[in-house]
Amino acid sequence: MRIVSGKYKGRRISPPTNLPVRPTTDLSKEALFNILNHQFSFRELKVLDIFAGTGSISYEFASRGAEPITAVDADFGCVNFIKKTAQQFDMDITAIKSDVYKFLERTKIKSDIIFADPPYDFTQEQFEKVYQLIFENELLEDDGLLIIEHSSHTSLEHLEHFSNSRKYGGSVFSFFEYELEDVDEEDDFDNEEE
């Protein structure tokens, strides 16, 4: 596993082989961050990485200058590995061991980007619960973005804030964001001088 861009571009990260993870491929990561490059300036972007696994996505954001980053996973080994790697590279990543659903129910953290990479064998209901908790608890900033990675066997296009999806091999990134309301221009006329 390597960091594909930013300050730590090309640095290899070797997680223990016994972690229960399926890391996002380098090809998919590169494609995803090419998309995000056009929408965001990464510096000081608040990021929440849930079902973080090895922390691969968190490292990519940190390498590009995003901070603070919160990485959440239920596996003790994954959380320890993320803490160790973040310390090694001096990255502003806080790793939290928690059931992701419980974390989403109680956290007050609002983020510019939330990246979710649940197990591909999740049921439709489990994927949708991730989405529901994030929007019901208003965990995204107004111009924020939720990205859910899933297999091509799952479809999330029917959900309300869905904007688009991109497919790379067997992986799909589904994007969700608030729709920007039309600007009310009435005030412009009220302020005209007679």
Side-chain angles (χ1 to χ4, degrees):
M1 184 172 80
R2 67 183 178 88
I3 298 175
V4 299
S5 190
K7 180 179 179 182
Y8 300 103
K9 180 178 179 178
R11 297 293 284 273
R12 295 209 162 269
I13 295 169
S14 302
T17 55
N18 62 344
L19 296 182
V21 297
R22 172 202 37 75
T24 304
T25 65
D26 288 350
L27 181 68
S28 297
K29 275 193 304 189
E30 200 157 1
L32 172 64
F33 279 90
N34 282 341
I35 295 167
L36 297 179
N37 272 332
H38 295 293
Q39 194 168 345
F40 294 94
S41 169
F42 289 102
R43 193 145 305 279
E44 297 182 5
L45 208 60
K46 297 188 297 292
V47 175
L48 175 60
D49 181 8
I50 53 177
F51 305 97
T54 61
S56 171
I57 293 295
S58 290
Y59 310 142
E60 291 295 339
F61 277 110
S63 184
R64 291 162 170 80
E67 60 179 9
I69 299 165
T70 304
V72 181
D73 200 277
D75 184 80
F76 185 74
C78 289
V79 171
N80 271 355
F81 179 72
I82 294 170
K83 285 180 178 176
K84 178 181 165 188
T85 306
Q87 188 174 23
Q88 178 185 343
F89 289 106
D90 193 26
M91 294 173 169
D92 187 2
I93 300 173
T94 301
I96 297 173
K97 182 189 179 301
S98 174
D99 174 85
V100 170
Y101 293 127
K102 289 178 181 173
F103 175 84
L104 293 175
E105 285 168 358
R106 67 174 183 260
T107 187
K108 302 298 181 210
I109 298 171
K110 287 188 84 145
S111 301
D112 299 300
I113 294 180
I114 299 177
F115 182 85
D117 186 9
Y120 276 17
D121 62 359
F122 261 24
T123 64
Q124 186 76 23
E125 290 74 21
Q126 287 173 305
F127 275 106
E128 290 181 13
K129 189 176 179 185
V130 174
Y131 160 89
Q132 286 163 357
L133 286 170
I134 288 168
F135 280 98
E136 284 173 6
N137 295 324
E138 300 180 349
L139 301 181
L140 273 182
E141 295 288 0
D142 290 344
D143 55 353
L145 184 67
L146 165 64
I147 307 158
I148 301 179
E149 181 177 348
H150 55 89
S151 79
S152 54
H153 300 296
T154 299
S155 175
L156 303 175
E157 296 180 11
H158 60 286
L159 298 174
E160 182 183 356
H161 298 290
F162 176 84
S163 60
N164 65 82
S165 64
R166 301 290 178 92
K167 186 173 185 292
Y168 303 99
S171 299
V172 178
F173 295 117
S174 287
F175 298 86
F176 303 86
E177 54 194 322
Y178 294 112
E179 291 180 14
L180 294 176
E181 294 177 5
D182 293 334
V183 177
D184 186 357
E185 296 180 352
E186 287 180 9
D187 289 345
D188 294 342
F189 298 105
D190 293 343
N191 292 334
E192 284 181 4
E193 293 181 6
E194 293 187 11

